[in-house]
Amino acid sequence: MGYTIAEKIIKEHIVSGEMVRGSEIALRIDQTLTQDATGTMAYIEFEAIGIPRVRTELSVAYIDHNTLQSGFENADDHLYIQSVAKKYGIRFSRPGNGICHQVHLERFGKPGKTLIGSDSHTPTCGGIGMLAMGAGGMDVAVAMGGGAYYITMPKMYKVNLTGKLSPWVSAKDVSLEILRILSVKGGVGAVIEWGGEGIKTLSVPERATITNMGTELGATTSIFPSDEITKAFLEAQGRGEDFTPLESDPDAVYDRVIDIDLSTLEPLVACPHSPDNVKSAKELAGTKVDQVCIGSCTNSSLRDMLRVAAILKGKKIKDSVSLSISPGSKQVLTALADSGALSDIIASGARLLECACGPCIGMGFSPNSAGVSLRTFNRNFEGRSGTKDAGVYLVSPEVAAAAALTGVITDPRDLGEYPDITMPEKFKINDSAVIMPAPVEDAPSIPVIKGPNIKSFPDTAPLADTLEANLTLKVGDNITTDHIMPAGAKILPYRSNIPHLSKFCFAVCDESFPERAKAAGKTVIVGGSNYGQGSSREHAALVPLYLGVKAVVAKSFARIHAANLINAGIIPFTFANGDDYDKLTQGDTLKIEGLFEALESGRAVLKDETTGDEIELICEFTDRQRAMLLAGGLLPYTKEAK
Ligand code: MIC
Ligand code: SF4
């Protein structure tokens, strides 16, 4: 039996377990990345593990999320990360150098290697044939220390592309089409491999748009083969030596195959408040637009920016629209400036923002009240933009630029001829914004700089055999980590200050939750299906840990969040019978006895002391996960194991 691309990389990196779908495997990790919003915690955890130098082939710390610096908090975090990076052997990508995924793709990613990052869009590098996965900060900390990364051996899906995209239709529309087909839950537990003749028409930045948004499907990761197009991209980056060819075997076995004919696709739009709420631009044409944002790790490559510049060239944006452009990296911005395309963008009336996540994570540029914002980003969850009642629509750069000109959602094909762009044969390489670590011999004398914003890790405790707790919060399906631990300009500066962050836990759903949880002492949260989808932020587990959450009972969990809960020592139980969800009411007192035994058998009985109902729960974990839960989480577990 032949192998898929992901299986080939897994085979090369597996350190324990067997490549049997559904069973736990441990992988050796070649590269790691962090960004600043999750990085500070990840490095606090790395320091707690106590290893003198990273043991990966390459680790990079990016600053791209918290770049507002509206007080000392972000600046303190940046200095801390910079000092840790220097001491422990990590490259430091300064603020302004660009969005982690875009820069990693350009400068560091290598086909055939494994990468984990404390950010859910790490699969972007799957665009060049890397096995790249989003993970919790603690998992990244362990991998930096040379530890393995544990995942469930994924199912293998294949998307076969045929044909060629029509003018005005682009990679983002492919992402939206697959979201329409599979939904935000459709990729859970799977690696999505893209193949077929159609991929030969897609450049690396286009492929990276597609692997980036595979995250929205809940997939473990997405991957393209490494071929002539990958080679040309790496050569243009001056990294031809990093190329290795990689493709699946002709007799590889897939659990599901989906065919998409690129030539049948049209410009698409994901409507509020979910990336899979997809309609065609034509259907929505005429909807008034207040704001347009172009950028984010999904659509900020030079290809996307040049395309936008060509559409805007010689024109003026509508008076009623505010347009922002955030190039994905310093390299993209430089090429835009050198080619003159930047002037075309600015002349149209756009606002140029820095090369960072910016509006995507609510760091400025929030829409007006009840505003309609068209964004080339990957997430449109309620409130994420910073304006609770705004309607955020996800679109391609083509649809975005068209709406900026017309003031309404427009099928860009109505604009006439699709302007051509010319990509440079070689990119201008300048890594001056990447600071190298200190030589090993100097490392011990390098101080770690910790400002007052940086608070320590929340207290953990070993598991007790009986859990008696209050059902302090009951929520529905598809709860995102943006609901659990919102981001945005007001909150993001406190990512290294869990006590302060805790005041905002679940603020989007229920502002009084933190107070109630504190009063209850011990809390169980009840959720529906796909609980914890979206961002990888481990704060969505660490803050509940701080607030006394001992368990979450849900119909199902998203992969990274379930791992983060276990890492934090919080038990993710699933209902044996999903209908039992309806039997539980917020405010009830719940009791689970015999937890030690339950973790062994994989079954627990939850008694609702208020109603007398008894509900069967599933708690099937691997030996390692069980040991972590018993110890009170990954940190105490790792310390015990050392
Ligand atoms: C996001 O897009 O939600 C983020 C911000 O990049 C997160 C990480 C975070 O919360 O810091 C992600 O996707 O993992
Ligand atoms: Fe940054 Fe947005 Fe990408 Fe997250 S999704 S890494 S916030 S650009």
Side-chain angles (χ1 to χ4, degrees):
M1 188 186 88
Y3 292 110
T4 67
I5 303 174
E7 283 170 338
K8 287 188 178 179
I9 304 179
I10 291 172
K11 199 164 147 276
E12 287 282 301
H13 290 84
I14 193 160
V15 290
S16 73
E18 284 187 29
M19 286 174 53
V20 174
R21 294 172 198 189
S23 69
E24 191 181 62
I25 54 168
L27 298 175
R28 178 169 49 78
I29 296 303
D30 302 319
Q31 298 191 353
T32 63
L33 71 80
T34 56
Q35 38 90 337
D36 48 323
T38 52
T40 321
M41 256 311 148
Y43 294 114
I44 291 172
E45 290 151 359
F46 177 76
E47 284 196 286
I49 298 172
I51 284 168
R53 197 82 177 171
V54 289
R55 295 183 179 154
T56 45
E57 289 174 12
L58 175 91
S59 288
V60 189
Y62 293 91
I63 307 290
D64 53 1
H65 281 62
N66 287 324
T67 52
L68 272 187
Q69 294 177 227
S70 53
F72 65 94
E73 292 87 356
N74 292 163
D76 277 9
D77 285 4
H78 299 172
L79 265 184
Y80 168 68
I81 295 176
Q82 184 169 349
S83 64
V84 165
K86 192 164 183 194
K87 187 176 181 77
Y88 294 106
I90 301 151
R91 292 184 202 200
F92 179 75
S93 170
R94 309 177 81 131
N97 194 38
I99 305 173
C100 55
H101 310 303
Q102 176 66 27
V103 178
H104 210 83
L105 184 78
E106 291 169 357
R107 307 300 309 135
F108 301 114
K110 287 189 191 173
K113 297 279 181 185
T114 52
L115 163 71
I116 66 168
S118 60
D119 191 283
S120 62
H121 290 102
T122 305
T124 311
C125 278
I128 50 169
M130 268 192 120
L131 190 74
M133 293 165 286
M138 245 185 265
D139 289 314
V140 176
V142 168
M144 286 190 290
Y149 179 53
Y150 290 78
I151 55 165
T152 304
M153 178 68 198
K155 292 176 277 183
M156 300 288 150
Y157 289 2
K158 169 104 182 246
V159 186
N160 258 322
L161 297 180
T162 52
K164 185 173 182 300
L165 291 169
S166 314
W168 297 103
V169 184
S170 63
K172 181 60 154 278
D173 300 308
V174 181
S175 294
L176 296 175
E177 173 68 5
I178 191 76
L179 273 155
R180 199 183 57 72
I181 298 172
L182 287 177
S183 88
V184 291
K185 291 182 245 180
V188 172
V191 170
I192 302 184
E193 180 182 313
W194 292 78
E197 270 311 297
I199 64 164
K200 300 281 174 222
T201 66
L202 298 174
S203 63
V204 163
E206 290 169 297
R207 294 174 179 191
T209 293
I210 294 172
T211 50
N212 173 283
M213 264 196 99
T215 298
E216 276 51 65
L217 300 163
T220 303
T221 189
S222 304
I223 194 161
F224 274 80
S226 171
D227 58 10
E228 286 307 304
I229 293 172
T230 322
K231 187 165 181 245
F233 174 81
L234 290 172
E235 277 167 359
Q237 289 290 347
R239 306 202 283 125
E241 71 284 0
D242 289 345
F243 174 75
T244 28
L246 190 61
E247 60 179 1
S248 53
D249 293 328
D251 54 345
V253 178
Y254 297 92
D255 299 85
R256 183 165 177 186
V257 178
I258 296 164
D259 294 307
I260 297 179
D261 178 354
L262 293 172
S263 58
T264 62
L265 297 187
E266 55 177 331
L268 296 172
V269 179
C271 301
H273 297 288
S274 182
D276 60 359
N277 188 9
V278 177
K279 300 208 167 94
S280 71
K282 204 197 266 155
E283 259 175 281
L284 296 164
T287 309
K288 187 179 175 304
V289 172
D290 301 295
Q291 184 191 67
V292 175
C293 303
I294 298 175
S296 94
C297 56
T298 318
N299 280 120
S300 60
S301 67
L302 183 61
R303 178 253 166 231
D304 290 338
M305 295 289 152
L306 286 176
R307 192 66 81 183
V308 167
I311 298 170
L312 298 178
K313 190 178 167 94
K315 307 203 172 85
K316 184 175 163 293
I317 62 169
K318 202 81 181 164
D319 289 352
S320 52
V321 175
S322 172
L323 169 66
S324 76
I325 308 270
S326 334
S329 68
K330 187 175 85 138
Q331 185 187 82
V332 171
L333 179 58
T334 308
L336 273 181
D338 288 352
S339 68
L342 188 60
S343 309
D344 297 331
I345 293 177
I346 296 170
S348 74
R351 279 170 66 178
L352 185 67
L353 307 185
E354 67 179 323
C355 303
C357 301
C360 178
I361 190 61
M363 294 305 268
F365 221 76
S366 297
N368 52 298
S369 296
V372 168
S373 179
L374 253 61
R375 302 177 158 211
T376 65
F377 306 169
N378 48 37
R379 289 184 172 146
N380 57 350
F381 305 145
E382 196 177 357
R384 182 176 161 101
S385 67
T387 303
K388 209 171 168 191
D389 60 0
V392 174
Y393 295 73
L394 306 176
V395 297
S396 66
E398 288 81 352
V399 174
L405 292 174
T406 61
V408 290
I409 298 184
T410 303
D411 185 331
R413 292 172 298 185
D414 294 344
L415 294 188
E417 207 172 316
Y418 192 38
D420 254 351
I421 56 165
T422 319
M423 288 287 287
E425 265 182 24
K426 290 254 178 291
F427 295 96
K428 201 188 236 178
I429 310 301
N430 178 340
D431 291 327
S432 62
V434 176
I435 301 179
M436 296 301 282
V440 187
E441 56 281 12
D442 297 348
S445 62
I446 306 238
V448 168
I449 305 168
K450 247 188 195 162
N453 187 44
I454 300 173
K455 302 277 184 275
S456 52
F457 192 82
D459 289 338
T460 60
L463 188 74
D465 195 37
T466 300
L467 169 62
E468 188 160 358
N470 189 267
L471 199 179
T472 316
L473 184 72
K474 184 174 175 183
V475 288
D477 288 345
N478 289 325
I479 285 294
T480 69
T481 44
D482 272 84
H483 289 106
I484 306 170
M485 201 51 255
K490 296 191 192 89
I491 310 178
L492 222 45
Y494 298 98
R495 278 290 180 89
S496 48
N497 185 342
I498 301 286
H500 185 83
L501 265 192
S502 72
K503 296 180 192 149
F504 305 95
C505 189
F506 276 106
V508 187
C509 315
D510 180 344
E511 281 181 353
S512 59
F513 168 71
E515 281 310 313
R516 288 206 312 278
K518 270 201 204 140
K522 287 183 188 155
T523 281
V524 170
I525 293 174
V526 170
S529 58
N530 203 21
Y531 181 88
Q533 66 158 328
S535 154
S536 66
R537 60 191 72 154
E538 63 183 339
H539 302 76
L542 297 182
V543 168
L545 164 70
Y546 174 81
L547 288 173
V549 176
K550 301 289 173 198
V552 180
V553 181
K555 291 185 188 168
S556 66
F557 288 88
R559 178 186 72 92
I560 304 177
H561 188 59
N564 284 341
L565 286 173
I566 296 173
N567 286 351
I570 299 175
I571 310 179
F573 288 104
T574 41
F575 288 103
N577 169 8
D579 293 342
D580 285 340
Y581 168 88
D582 297 322
K583 292 191 181 151
L584 297 170
T585 309
Q586 190 165 304
D588 289 356
T589 302
L590 308 178
K591 192 169 186 177
I592 306 176
E593 287 178 313
L595 271 174
F596 300 155
E597 166 59 31
L599 287 183
E600 286 296 322
S601 67
R603 289 285 184 282
V605 176
L606 176 144
K607 181 135 193 252
D608 188 326
E609 303 263 273
T610 313
T611 61
D613 281 333
E614 293 205 344
I615 291 172
E616 200 185 336
L617 303 180
I618 299 177
C619 46
E620 283 167 1
F621 302 114
T622 63
D623 291 346
R624 179 178 159 274
Q625 291 173 325
R626 236 190 325 269
M628 276 198 274
L629 288 169
L630 288 171
L634 178 55
L635 268 195
Y637 167 78
T638 311
K639 281 193 203 151
E640 266 173 27
K642 247 177 67 178

